[in-house]
Amino acid sequence: MVRLTSISYLLRFLKTSLYASHLLAGCVQEEELICGKSDIVWITDHSSSIAQWQLDLLFDFQATVVESTNVGPDGTQYGQVGFSDDSFNNFNLNDCGDSGCAVDEIKSIRLQPGATNLASGIREGRDVLAR
């Protein structure tokens, strides 16, 4: 039996996936996506309303996107911010020079449950982009 929260999460995940697909539509598909130079900061909810398996599903999606792009200073740079009671920076845009490093960083993130402070996460994401 699938719980309603699981279905709700899946629908939100699919919306995110479709939005990301729309963003990536302007890229050239070869062996990897070629999008030119860009900075992407993932802002991820770690609050108590999210289970570790849901976070793992999201991180699998993020890893798939990262593996499909040219990662590095002349390509796409990724950062990762989480939030629950407060925000926290998991890694900065210039921390990884290749997709393997970025995927390793994403896969090493663990749930840090607490309340949902989305505003703090957005502020931290903005700060990471500004660095």
Side-chain angles (χ1 to χ4, degrees):
M1 182 171 134
V2 177
R3 294 184 345 202
L4 183 58
T5 55
S6 300
I7 293 170
S8 173
Y9 179 79
L10 180 60
L11 290 174
R12 284 186 289 172
F13 177 77
L14 289 174
K15 284 183 188 176
T16 303
S17 300
L18 291 173
Y19 180 67
S21 298
H22 173 72
L23 289 176
L24 297 174
C27 302
V28 177
Q29 178 78 43
E30 292 181 0
E31 288 190 19
E32 60 184 21
L33 292 174
I34 301 173
C35 303
K37 189 173 170 71
S38 58
D39 294 332
I40 297 174
V41 176
W42 304 101
I43 301 173
T44 307
D45 184 356
H46 286 250
S47 69
S48 297
S49 61
I50 303 295
Q52 184 64 51
W53 71 268
Q54 292 169 317
L55 208 56
D56 290 341
L57 184 63
L58 180 60
F59 291 155
D60 287 345
F61 168 75
Q62 290 176 1
T64 300
V65 171
V66 168
E67 289 169 336
S68 301
T69 57
N70 176 26
V71 177
D74 296 325
T76 305
Q77 296 186 112
Y78 291 91
Q80 178 31 280
V81 169
F83 66 91
S84 59
D85 291 326
D86 200 4
S87 61
F88 40 91
N89 183 5
N90 292 309
F91 62 95
N92 288 306
L93 291 168
N94 59 356
D95 285 351
C96 292
D98 59 63
S99 62
C101 172
V103 168
D104 289 346
E105 290 286 345
I106 290 168
K107 295 290 187 169
S108 71
I109 300 168
R110 291 289 157 243
L111 188 65
Q112 298 182 29
T116 305
N117 190 346
L118 176 59
S120 180
I122 291 172
R123 279 191 298 274
E124 181 70 24
R126 180 194 62 207
D127 293 347
V128 168
L129 280 171
R131 292 184 193 139

Coordinates of all heavy atoms in Angstrom, one line a residue, residues 43-123:
I43 N 18.8 23.6 -3.4 CA 18.3 23.9 -2.0 C 17.3 22.8 -1.6 O 16.3 22.6 -2.3 CB 17.6 25.3 -2.0 CG1 18.6 26.4 -2.5 CG2 17.1 25.6 -0.6 CD1 18.0 27.7 -2.7
T44 N 17.7 22.1 -0.6 CA 17.0 20.8 -0.2 C 16.4 20.9 1.2 O 17.1 21.2 2.1 CB 18.0 19.6 -0.4 OG1 18.6 19.7 -1.6 CG2 17.3 18.3 -0.2
D45 N 15.2 20.5 1.3 CA 14.4 20.4 2.5 C 14.9 19.2 3.3 O 14.9 18.1 2.9 CB 12.9 20.3 2.3 CG 12.1 20.3 3.5 OD1 12.6 20.4 4.6 OD2 10.9 20.3 3.4
H46 N 15.4 19.4 4.6 CA 15.9 18.3 5.4 C 15.0 18.3 6.7 O 15.3 17.6 7.7 CB 17.3 18.6 5.9 CG 18.3 18.3 4.9 ND1 19.2 17.3 4.9 CD2 18.7 19.0 3.8 CE1 20.0 17.3 3.9 NE2 19.7 18.3 3.2
S47 N 13.8 18.9 6.7 CA 13.0 19.0 7.8 C 12.4 17.6 8.2 O 12.5 16.7 7.4 CB 11.9 20.0 7.6 OG 10.9 19.5 6.7
S48 N 11.8 17.6 9.3 CA 11.2 16.3 9.8 C 10.1 15.7 8.9 O 9.7 14.6 9.1 CB 10.7 16.5 11.2 OG 11.7 16.8 12.1
S49 N 9.6 16.5 8.0 CA 8.5 16.0 7.1 C 9.1 15.2 6.0 O 8.4 14.6 5.2 CB 7.7 17.2 6.6 OG 8.5 18.1 5.8
I50 N 10.5 15.2 5.9 CA 11.1 14.4 4.8 C 11.8 13.2 5.4 O 12.5 13.3 6.4 CB 12.2 15.3 4.1 CG1 11.6 16.6 3.6 CG2 12.9 14.5 3.0 CD1 10.6 16.4 2.4
A51 N 11.6 12.1 4.8 CA 12.3 10.8 5.2 C 13.6 10.7 4.5 O 13.8 11.2 3.4 CB 11.4 9.6 5.0
Q52 N 14.5 9.9 5.0 CA 15.8 9.7 4.4 C 15.6 9.1 3.0 O 16.3 9.5 2.1 CB 16.7 8.8 5.2 CG 18.1 8.6 4.6 CD 18.9 9.9 4.6 OE1 19.0 10.6 5.6 NE2 19.5 10.2 3.4
W53 N 14.7 8.2 2.8 CA 14.5 7.6 1.5 C 14.1 8.6 0.5 O 14.4 8.5 -0.7 CB 13.5 6.4 1.6 CG 12.1 6.7 1.8 CD1 11.5 6.8 3.0 CD2 11.1 7.0 0.8 NE1 10.1 7.1 2.8 CE2 9.9 7.3 1.5 CE3 11.2 7.1 -0.6 CZ2 8.8 7.7 0.8 CZ3 10.0 7.5 -1.3 CH2 8.8 7.8 -0.6
Q54 N 13.3 9.6 0.9 CA 12.8 10.6 0.0 C 14.0 11.5 -0.4 O 14.1 11.9 -1.6 CB 11.7 11.5 0.6 CG 10.4 10.7 0.9 CD 9.5 11.4 1.7 OE1 9.8 12.0 2.7 NE2 8.2 11.4 1.3
L55 N 14.8 11.8 0.6 CA 16.0 12.6 0.3 C 17.0 11.8 -0.7 O 17.5 12.4 -1.6 CB 16.7 12.9 1.6 CG 17.6 14.2 1.7 CD1 16.8 15.4 1.3 CD2 18.2 14.4 3.1
D56 N 17.1 10.5 -0.4 CA 18.0 9.7 -1.3 C 17.4 9.7 -2.7 O 18.2 9.8 -3.7 CB 18.0 8.3 -0.8 CG 18.8 8.2 0.5 OD1 19.6 9.1 0.8 OD2 18.7 7.2 1.2
L57 N 16.1 9.7 -2.9 CA 15.5 9.7 -4.2 C 15.8 11.1 -4.9 O 16.2 11.1 -6.1 CB 14.0 9.5 -4.1 CG 13.2 9.5 -5.4 CD1 13.6 8.3 -6.2 CD2 11.7 9.4 -5.1
L58 N 15.7 12.1 -4.2 CA 16.1 13.5 -4.7 C 17.5 13.5 -5.1 O 17.9 14.1 -6.1 CB 15.7 14.6 -3.7 CG 16.0 16.0 -4.1 CD1 15.2 16.4 -5.4 CD2 15.6 16.9 -3.0
F59 N 18.4 13.0 -4.2 CA 19.8 13.1 -4.5 C 20.2 12.2 -5.7 O 21.1 12.5 -6.4 CB 20.6 12.6 -3.2 CG 20.6 13.7 -2.1 CD1 20.7 13.2 -0.8 CD2 20.3 15.0 -2.3 CE1 20.7 14.2 0.2 CE2 20.2 15.9 -1.3 CZ 20.4 15.5 0.0
D60 N 19.5 11.1 -5.9 CA 19.7 10.3 -7.1 C 19.4 11.1 -8.3 O 20.1 11.1 -9.3 CB 18.9 9.0 -7.1 CG 19.3 8.0 -6.1 OD1 20.5 8.1 -5.6 OD2 18.6 7.1 -5.8
F61 N 18.3 11.9 -8.3 CA 17.9 12.7 -9.4 C 19.0 13.8 -9.6 O 19.5 14.0 -10.7 CB 16.6 13.4 -9.1 CG 16.3 14.5 -10.1 CD1 15.9 14.3 -11.4 CD2 16.4 15.9 -9.7 CE1 15.6 15.3 -12.3 CE2 16.1 16.9 -10.5 CZ 15.8 16.6 -11.8
Q62 N 19.5 14.4 -8.5 CA 20.5 15.5 -8.6 C 21.8 14.9 -9.2 O 22.4 15.5 -10.1 CB 20.8 16.1 -7.3 CG 19.7 16.9 -6.8 CD 19.9 17.5 -5.4 OE1 21.0 17.2 -4.8 NE2 19.0 18.2 -4.9
A63 N 22.2 13.7 -8.8 CA 23.4 13.0 -9.3 C 23.3 12.7 -10.8 O 24.2 12.9 -11.5 CB 23.7 11.7 -8.5
T64 N 22.1 12.3 -11.2 CA 21.9 12.0 -12.6 C 22.0 13.3 -13.5 O 22.7 13.3 -14.5 CB 20.4 11.4 -12.9 OG1 20.3 10.2 -12.1 CG2 20.2 11.2 -14.3
V65 N 21.5 14.4 -13.0 CA 21.7 15.7 -13.7 C 23.2 16.1 -13.7 O 23.7 16.4 -14.8 CB 20.8 16.8 -13.0 CG1 21.2 18.2 -13.6 CG2 19.4 16.5 -13.2
V66 N 23.8 16.0 -12.6 CA 25.3 16.3 -12.5 C 26.1 15.5 -13.5 O 26.9 16.0 -14.2 CB 25.8 16.2 -11.1 CG1 27.3 16.2 -11.0 CG2 25.2 17.2 -10.2
E67 N 25.8 14.2 -13.5 CA 26.6 13.3 -14.4 C 26.3 13.5 -15.9 O 27.1 13.1 -16.7 CB 26.2 11.8 -14.1 CG 26.7 11.3 -12.8 CD 26.2 10.0 -12.3 OE1 25.1 9.6 -12.8 OE2 26.9 9.3 -11.5
S68 N 25.2 14.3 -16.2 CA 24.9 14.6 -17.6 C 25.4 15.9 -18.0 O 25.1 16.3 -19.2 CB 23.4 14.6 -17.7 OG 22.8 13.3 -17.4
T69 N 26.2 16.6 -17.2 CA 26.7 17.9 -17.6 C 28.2 18.0 -17.5 O 28.8 17.1 -16.9 CB 26.1 19.0 -16.6 OG1 26.4 18.7 -15.3 CG2 24.6 19.1 -16.8
N70 N 28.8 18.9 -18.1 CA 30.2 19.2 -18.1 C 30.5 20.0 -16.8 O 30.2 21.2 -16.8 CB 30.6 20.0 -19.4 CG 32.1 20.4 -19.3 OD1 32.9 19.7 -18.7 ND2 32.4 21.4 -20.0
V71 N 31.0 19.3 -15.8 CA 31.2 20.0 -14.5 C 32.6 20.6 -14.4 O 33.6 19.9 -14.8 CB 31.0 19.0 -13.4 CG1 31.3 19.6 -12.0 CG2 29.6 18.4 -13.4
G72 N 32.7 21.8 -14.0 CA 34.0 22.5 -13.8 C 33.9 23.9 -14.0 O 32.8 24.5 -14.3
P73 N 35.0 24.7 -13.8 CA 35.0 26.1 -13.9 C 34.5 26.7 -15.2 O 34.0 27.7 -15.3 CB 36.4 26.5 -13.5 CG 37.1 25.3 -13.0 CD 36.2 24.1 -13.4
D74 N 34.8 25.9 -16.3 CA 34.4 26.3 -17.6 C 33.1 25.7 -18.1 O 32.6 26.0 -19.2 CB 35.5 25.9 -18.6 CG 36.8 26.7 -18.4 OD1 36.7 27.8 -17.9 OD2 37.8 26.1 -18.6
G75 N 32.4 25.0 -17.2 CA 31.1 24.3 -17.5 C 30.1 24.7 -16.4 O 30.0 25.9 -16.1
T76 N 29.5 23.7 -15.9 CA 28.5 23.9 -14.8 C 29.1 23.6 -13.5 O 29.8 22.6 -13.3 CB 27.3 22.9 -15.0 OG1 26.8 23.1 -16.4 CG2 26.2 23.2 -14.0
Q77 N 28.9 24.5 -12.5 CA 29.4 24.3 -11.2 C 28.1 24.1 -10.3 O 27.1 24.8 -10.5 CB 30.2 25.5 -10.7 CG 31.5 25.7 -11.4 CD 32.3 26.8 -10.9 OE1 33.4 26.5 -10.3 NE2 31.8 28.0 -10.9
Y78 N 28.2 23.2 -9.4 CA 27.1 22.9 -8.5 C 27.4 23.2 -7.0 O 28.6 23.0 -6.6 CB 26.7 21.4 -8.6 CG 26.1 21.0 -9.9 CD1 27.0 20.6 -10.9 CD2 24.8 21.1 -10.1 CE1 26.4 20.2 -12.2 CE2 24.2 20.8 -11.3 CZ 25.0 20.4 -12.4 OH 24.5 20.0 -13.6
G79 N 26.4 23.6 -6.3 CA 26.5 23.8 -4.9 C 25.3 23.1 -4.3 O 24.3 22.8 -5.0
Q80 N 25.3 22.9 -3.0 CA 24.2 22.2 -2.3 C 24.0 22.8 -0.9 O 24.9 22.9 -0.1 CB 24.6 20.7 -2.2 CG 23.7 19.7 -1.5 CD 22.2 19.9 -1.6 OE1 21.7 20.6 -0.8 NE2 21.5 19.1 -2.4
V81 N 22.8 23.3 -0.7 CA 22.3 23.9 0.6 C 21.2 23.1 1.1 O 20.3 22.6 0.3 CB 21.9 25.3 0.3 CG1 21.2 25.9 1.6 CG2 23.1 26.2 -0.1
G82 N 21.2 22.8 2.4 CA 20.0 22.2 3.0 C 19.4 23.1 4.1 O 20.1 24.1 4.5
F83 N 18.2 22.8 4.5 CA 17.6 23.6 5.5 C 16.7 22.7 6.3 O 16.1 21.7 5.8 CB 16.8 24.8 5.0 CG 15.7 24.5 4.1 CD1 14.4 24.3 4.7 CD2 15.8 24.3 2.8 CE1 13.3 24.0 3.9 CE2 14.7 23.9 2.0 CZ 13.4 23.8 2.5
S84 N 16.6 23.0 7.6 CA 15.6 22.4 8.5 C 15.3 23.6 9.5 O 14.8 24.6 9.1 CB 16.0 21.1 9.2 OG 17.2 21.3 9.9
D85 N 15.7 23.4 10.8 CA 15.6 24.6 11.7 C 16.4 25.8 11.2 O 15.9 26.9 11.4 CB 16.2 24.2 13.1 CG 15.3 23.2 13.8 OD1 14.1 23.2 13.6 OD2 15.9 22.3 14.5
D86 N 17.5 25.5 10.6 CA 18.3 26.6 10.1 C 18.9 26.0 8.7 O 18.8 24.9 8.4 CB 19.5 26.9 11.1 CG 20.1 28.3 10.8 OD1 19.6 29.0 9.9 OD2 21.1 28.6 11.5
S87 N 19.6 26.9 8.0 CA 20.2 26.4 6.8 C 21.7 26.0 7.0 O 22.3 26.4 8.0 CB 20.2 27.5 5.7 OG 20.9 28.6 6.2
F88 N 22.2 25.2 6.1 CA 23.6 24.7 6.2 C 24.1 24.5 4.8 O 23.3 24.1 3.9 CB 23.7 23.5 7.0 CG 22.6 22.5 6.8 CD1 22.7 21.5 5.9 CD2 21.5 22.6 7.6 CE1 21.7 20.6 5.7 CE2 20.4 21.6 7.4 CZ 20.5 20.6 6.5
N89 N 25.3 24.8 4.5 CA 25.9 24.7 3.2 C 26.6 23.3 3.2 O 27.5 23.1 3.9 CB 26.9 25.8 3.0 CG 27.6 25.8 1.7 OD1 27.2 25.0 0.8 ND2 28.5 26.7 1.4
N90 N 26.2 22.5 2.3 CA 26.8 21.1 2.1 C 28.1 21.2 1.3 O 29.1 20.6 1.6 CB 25.8 20.1 1.6 CG 24.7 19.8 2.5 OD1 25.0 19.5 3.7 ND2 23.5 19.9 2.1
F91 N 28.0 22.0 0.2 CA 29.3 22.3 -0.6 C 29.0 23.5 -1.5 O 27.9 23.8 -1.8 CB 29.8 21.0 -1.3 CG 28.9 20.5 -2.4 CD1 29.0 20.9 -3.7 CD2 27.9 19.6 -2.1 CE1 28.2 20.3 -4.7 CE2 27.1 19.0 -3.0 CZ 27.2 19.4 -4.3
N92 N 30.2 24.2 -1.8 CA 30.1 25.4 -2.6 C 30.3 25.1 -4.1 O 30.7 24.0 -4.5 CB 31.3 26.3 -2.1 CG 31.0 26.9 -0.8 OD1 29.9 27.5 -0.5 ND2 31.9 26.8 0.2
L93 N 30.0 26.1 -4.8 CA 30.1 26.0 -6.3 C 31.5 25.6 -6.8 O 31.6 24.8 -7.7 CB 29.7 27.4 -7.0 CG 28.3 27.8 -6.8 CD1 28.1 29.2 -7.3 CD2 27.4 26.8 -7.6
N94 N 32.5 26.1 -6.2 CA 33.9 25.8 -6.6 C 34.6 24.6 -5.9 O 35.8 24.4 -6.0 CB 34.8 27.0 -6.6 CG 34.9 27.6 -5.2 OD1 34.3 27.1 -4.3 ND2 35.7 28.6 -5.0
D95 N 33.8 23.9 -5.1 CA 34.4 22.8 -4.4 C 34.7 21.5 -5.2 O 35.6 20.7 -4.9 CB 33.5 22.3 -3.2 CG 33.5 23.3 -2.0 OD1 34.3 24.2 -2.0 OD2 32.6 23.1 -1.1
C96 N 34.0 21.4 -6.3 CA 34.2 20.2 -7.2 C 34.6 20.6 -8.6 O 33.8 21.4 -9.2 CB 33.0 19.3 -7.2 SG 32.7 18.6 -5.6
G97 N 35.6 20.0 -9.1 CA 36.0 20.3 -10.5 C 35.6 19.3 -11.5 O 35.9 19.4 -12.7
D98 N 34.9 18.2 -11.0 CA 34.4 17.2 -12.0 C 33.1 16.6 -11.4 O 32.8 16.8 -10.3 CB 35.5 16.1 -12.2 CG 35.9 15.4 -11.0 OD1 35.1 14.8 -10.3 OD2 37.1 15.6 -10.6
S99 N 32.4 15.9 -12.3 CA 31.2 15.3 -11.9 C 31.3 14.3 -10.8 O 30.4 14.1 -9.9 CB 30.4 14.7 -13.1 OG 31.1 13.7 -13.6
G100 N 32.4 13.5 -10.8 CA 32.6 12.5 -9.7 C 32.6 13.1 -8.4 O 32.0 12.5 -7.4
C101 N 33.3 14.2 -8.2 CA 33.4 14.8 -6.9 C 32.0 15.4 -6.5 O 31.6 15.2 -5.3 CB 34.4 16.0 -7.0 SG 34.5 17.1 -5.5
A102 N 31.3 16.0 -7.4 CA 30.0 16.6 -7.1 C 29.0 15.4 -6.7 O 28.3 15.6 -5.7 CB 29.5 17.4 -8.3
V103 N 29.1 14.3 -7.4 CA 28.2 13.2 -7.1 C 28.5 12.6 -5.7 O 27.7 12.3 -4.9 CB 28.2 12.1 -8.2 CG1 27.6 10.8 -7.7 CG2 27.6 12.6 -9.4
D104 N 29.8 12.5 -5.4 CA 30.3 12.0 -4.1 C 29.8 13.0 -3.0 O 29.3 12.5 -1.9 CB 31.8 11.9 -4.0 CG 32.3 10.7 -4.8 OD1 31.5 9.9 -5.2 OD2 33.6 10.7 -5.1
E105 N 29.9 14.3 -3.2 CA 29.4 15.2 -2.2 C 27.9 15.1 -2.0 O 27.4 15.1 -0.9 CB 29.7 16.7 -2.7 CG 31.1 17.0 -2.6 CD 31.7 17.3 -1.2 OE1 30.9 17.4 -0.3 OE2 32.9 17.3 -1.1
I106 N 27.1 14.9 -3.1 CA 25.7 14.8 -3.0 C 25.3 13.5 -2.2 O 24.5 13.5 -1.3 CB 25.0 14.8 -4.4 CG1 25.1 16.2 -5.0 CG2 23.6 14.3 -4.3 CD1 24.8 16.2 -6.5
K107 N 26.0 12.4 -2.6 CA 25.6 11.1 -2.0 C 26.0 11.0 -0.5 O 25.5 10.2 0.2 CB 26.3 10.0 -2.8 CG 25.8 9.8 -4.2 CD 24.5 9.3 -4.2 CE 24.1 9.0 -5.6 NZ 22.8 8.2 -5.7
S108 N 26.9 11.9 -0.1 CA 27.4 11.9 1.3 C 26.5 12.7 2.3 O 26.6 12.6 3.5 CB 28.8 12.4 1.4 OG 28.8 13.8 1.2
I109 N 25.5 13.4 1.7 CA 24.6 14.3 2.6 C 23.6 13.4 3.3 O 23.0 12.5 2.7 CB 23.9 15.3 1.7 CG1 25.0 16.2 1.0 CG2 23.0 16.1 2.5 CD1 24.4 17.1 -0.1
R110 N 23.4 13.7 4.6 CA 22.5 12.9 5.4 C 21.4 13.9 5.9 O 21.6 15.1 6.1 CB 23.1 12.2 6.5 CG 24.0 11.1 6.1 CD 23.2 9.9 5.6 NE 23.9 9.0 4.7 CZ 23.6 8.8 3.4 NH1 22.5 9.4 2.9 NH2 24.3 8.0 2.7
L111 N 20.3 13.3 6.2 CA 19.1 14.0 6.8 C 19.5 14.7 8.1 O 20.2 14.1 8.9 CB 18.0 13.1 7.0 CG 16.6 13.6 7.4 CD1 16.1 14.5 6.2 CD2 15.6 12.5 7.6
Q112 N 19.1 16.0 8.2 CA 19.3 16.7 9.5 C 17.9 17.2 9.9 O 17.6 18.4 9.7 CB 20.3 17.8 9.3 CG 21.7 17.3 8.9 CD 22.7 18.4 8.8 OE1 22.6 19.4 9.4 NE2 23.7 18.2 7.9
P113 N 17.1 16.4 10.5 CA 15.7 16.8 10.8 C 15.5 17.9 11.7 O 16.4 18.2 12.6 CB 15.0 15.5 11.3 CG 16.2 14.6 11.7 CD 17.4 15.1 11.0
G114 N 14.4 18.6 11.6 CA 14.0 19.7 12.4 C 12.8 20.4 11.8 O 12.1 19.8 11.0
A115 N 12.6 21.6 12.2 CA 11.4 22.4 11.6 C 11.8 22.8 10.2 O 12.9 22.5 9.7 CB 11.2 23.6 12.5
T116 N 10.8 23.4 9.5 CA 11.0 23.8 8.1 C 11.2 25.3 8.1 O 10.3 26.1 8.2 CB 9.8 23.4 7.3 OG1 9.5 22.0 7.4 CG2 10.0 23.7 5.8
N117 N 12.5 25.7 7.8 CA 12.8 27.1 7.7 C 13.3 27.4 6.3 O 14.5 27.6 6.0 CB 13.9 27.5 8.7 CG 14.1 29.0 8.8 OD1 13.7 29.7 8.0 ND2 14.9 29.4 9.8
L118 N 12.3 27.4 5.4 CA 12.6 27.6 3.9 C 13.3 28.9 3.7 O 14.2 29.0 2.9 CB 11.3 27.5 3.1 CG 11.4 27.8 1.6 CD1 12.3 26.8 1.0 CD2 10.0 27.7 1.0
A119 N 12.9 30.0 4.4 CA 13.5 31.3 4.1 C 15.0 31.3 4.4 O 15.8 31.9 3.6 CB 12.8 32.4 5.0
S120 N 15.4 30.6 5.4 CA 16.8 30.5 5.7 C 17.6 29.7 4.6 O 18.7 30.1 4.2 CB 17.0 29.7 7.1 OG 18.4 29.6 7.4
G121 N 16.9 28.7 4.1 CA 17.5 27.9 3.0 C 17.7 28.7 1.7 O 18.7 28.7 1.1
I122 N 16.7 29.5 1.4 CA 16.8 30.4 0.2 C 17.9 31.5 0.4 O 18.6 31.7 -0.5 CB 15.4 31.0 -0.1 CG1 14.4 29.9 -0.5 CG2 15.5 32.1 -1.1 CD1 13.0 30.4 -0.7
R123 N 17.9 32.1 1.6 CA 19.0 33.0 1.9 C 20.4 32.4 1.7 O 21.3 33.0 1.1 CB 18.9 33.6 3.3 CG 17.8 34.7 3.4 CD 17.9 35.5 4.7 NE 17.6 34.6 5.9 CZ 16.4 34.4 6.3 NH1 15.4 34.9 5.8 NH2 16.3 33.6 7.4

